[in-house]
Amino acid sequence: MVDEDYGRLEIRLAELMEEKGLNRYKLSLKAAMNWNQVNNYCTNNISRLDTFVLCKLCTVLECDIQDLLVFIPSEKG
């Protein structure tokens, strides 16, 4: 069984930041996050999502969780 059999989550942080006119440095300050952590979320380089971080990002970006996370189903049916 391969993990991809269940689909994956894509984090749309970079797109939302661009829409809001924020760069990684500004977001890290507003969300009280480490720049590297913001960078990892922007590049989808996260193995486990932190719900507190997701709440901070949604608050700062004034968005809903479904704006930030997108479920990509497996191509296998």
Side-chain angles (χ1 to χ4, degrees), residues 3-75:
D3 289 343
E4 295 264 332
D5 288 347
Y6 298 102
R8 61 186 175 85
L9 281 176
E10 184 174 293
I11 306 166
R12 295 187 59 242
L13 182 56
E15 295 170 46
L16 288 171
M17 287 172 43
E18 186 175 328
E19 289 173 16
K20 302 287 182 174
L22 292 171
N23 61 31
R24 294 171 194 199
Y25 177 72
K26 287 181 184 177
L27 181 67
S28 69
L29 292 177
K30 287 185 172 218
M33 293 172 59
N34 179 291
W35 186 91
N36 285 326
Q37 188 177 28
V38 171
N39 188 55
N40 286 336
Y41 273 81
C42 283
T43 59
N44 280 277
N45 191 19
I46 299 293
S47 58
R48 295 191 184 265
L49 293 172
D50 182 327
T51 56
F52 183 61
V53 168
L54 295 175
C55 290
K56 288 189 336 181
L57 293 173
C58 285
T59 299
V60 169
L61 294 169
E62 299 175 336
C63 70
D64 294 323
I65 193 70
Q66 61 267 29
D67 298 325
L68 185 59
L69 298 177
V70 176
F71 176 67
I72 311 289
S74 171
E75 292 185 18

